[in-house]
Amino acid sequence: MYTLQSLEELHLSGTLTHELSRSATLDSLRELKALRVLTLRSRLTKIPPSVGDVAVNLQRLCIYNEGLKLQAFSSLKKLTNLASLELIGCELERIPSAVFSLSSLQELDLKENKLTTVEEILSLQHCRRLVTLRLWHNGITYIPEHIAKLKSLETLNVSWNKLRKLPSRLFYCTKLRHLNLSHNQLTSLPAEVGILQSLQFFSAAFNSLEQLPEELFSCKRLKTLALGNNCLLSLSPRVANLAQLVRLELKGNRLDSIPPEIGDCPLLKTSNLVVEDNLLDLLPSDVVGGKHLSISFSLLKDYTSLVQFIYLLD
């Protein structure tokens, strides 16, 4: 296998610990001059030094460590062309400092670790090309204000953490297009959310939000707005400003009604409006009718019903 000099992807899975500890085993990686993607699914205590043998061309490194603590990261510094790094299930308590030297890094995924604070996130500004940061499934309790230094960030996923509030400076990452805050302990959102004029996907589902800032409805490029399973009592009529909205999730709140202005969202169909059935029933017929019509053809029992249905559409 190690003579396949045109090999571009290599995925190794299994008990690799002992093999990788003997330098003769993976020294052959240096022959894989075309290797672009390397995935290791195992229980490693350090990143194998032999990974550095393919440093020049390696663009994606994924380590799924199955909950064993990964402690040595010096080999990362050689990966100067690395664009994507995943360190998943590695028991990390902080972002490894070796990551900050990866000047070509565009995506960083630290899923399922033991991060509780990310103060060192400031040093990620040295990764000037970083556009995607995933810190999901950790125990992060707060995000520092200096996250605003990550000017190029387009995707941020901090779902499944323990966030109680958000810094207003987070929303000065003005290039954000995808922001996932779901499954936290948020009770409010800063008004600065309205700064994100490039935002297309926003999820704050499974929190404890009681109300939304009016400024949220200034994000006119929003296509998906997920707010299910909160404590919302009402939805602002300004939802009509979201002309590009194609999906709205509200199910699992304390809403008594939905504003009829929701019918002014031209791309939002009833099938993509996720809410309790009784709230849909309260909407005016002209809102749920026409191009927003969601009907089951199983209800058309006979030919007469079908003719009547066609007549109504006509």
Side-chain angles (χ1 to χ4, degrees), residues 97-308:
S97 59
V99 171
F100 309 139
S101 63
L102 302 177
S103 58
S104 298
L105 195 66
Q106 298 176 30
E107 299 183 13
L108 177 61
D109 191 335
L110 300 178
K111 181 183 180 183
E112 293 178 356
N113 282 287
K114 289 194 172 182
L115 302 174
T116 57
T117 177
V118 284
E119 280 293 339
E120 64 277 8
I121 207 171
L122 177 63
S123 297
L124 280 176
Q125 65 181 312
H126 299 301
C127 305
R128 299 185 184 277
R129 299 182 184 180
L130 189 70
V131 294
T132 298
L133 178 59
R134 297 187 177 95
L135 301 171
W136 49 333
H137 292 270
N138 279 281
I140 300 171
T141 56
Y142 75 97
I143 298 175
E145 294 275 354
H146 49 242
I147 193 173
K149 297 289 186 180
L150 306 185
K151 299 294 186 182
S152 299
L153 209 58
E154 296 180 10
T155 295
L156 176 63
N157 190 338
V158 288
S159 62
W160 295 93
N161 277 286
K162 297 180 179 180
L163 298 172
R164 293 183 177 274
K165 64 179 181 178
L166 299 170
S168 58
R169 298 290 296 177
L170 166 63
F171 303 99
Y172 286 84
C173 298
T174 55
K175 292 186 178 181
L176 276 174
R177 294 186 297 109
H178 184 115
L179 179 58
N180 194 337
L181 306 170
S182 63
H183 295 274
N184 277 285
Q185 301 168 16
L186 300 173
T187 57
S188 64
L189 297 174
E192 286 80 0
V193 67
I195 297 173
L196 300 181
Q197 290 301 300
S198 297
L199 196 63
Q200 297 180 23
F201 175 97
F202 179 72
S203 177
F206 291 92
N207 278 281
S208 299
L209 299 175
E210 296 183 357
Q211 60 183 2
L212 302 171
E214 290 290 306
E215 290 80 1
L216 175 62
F217 303 101
S218 299
C219 303
K220 295 183 179 180
R221 294 187 181 180
L222 267 175
K223 295 181 179 180
T224 297
L225 181 57
L227 300 168
N229 293 280
N230 277 285
C231 303
L232 297 176
L233 299 174
S234 63
L235 181 67
S236 172
R238 290 189 63 190
V239 68
N241 293 344
L242 306 181
Q244 298 187 36
L245 195 66
V246 296
R247 184 171 180 83
L248 177 60
E249 299 178 12
L250 296 169
K251 193 170 186 178
N253 281 284
R254 300 175 182 174
L255 300 172
D256 292 326
S257 62
I258 302 174
E261 287 84 357
I262 206 167
D264 295 329
C265 299
L267 303 180
L268 182 63
K269 297 182 179 180
T270 306
S271 57
N272 285 327
L273 175 56
V274 183
V275 69
E276 285 78 7
D277 292 341
N278 65 302
L279 295 181
L280 276 180
D281 294 339
L282 295 175
L283 287 172
S285 58
D286 60 332
V287 173
V288 295
K291 60 186 172 182
H292 299 298
L293 186 65
S294 177
I295 188 167
S296 171
F297 282 88
S298 64
L299 297 177
L300 304 179
K301 300 297 184 181
D302 51 35
Y303 177 78
T304 304
S305 298
L306 181 59
V307 171
Q308 291 174 342

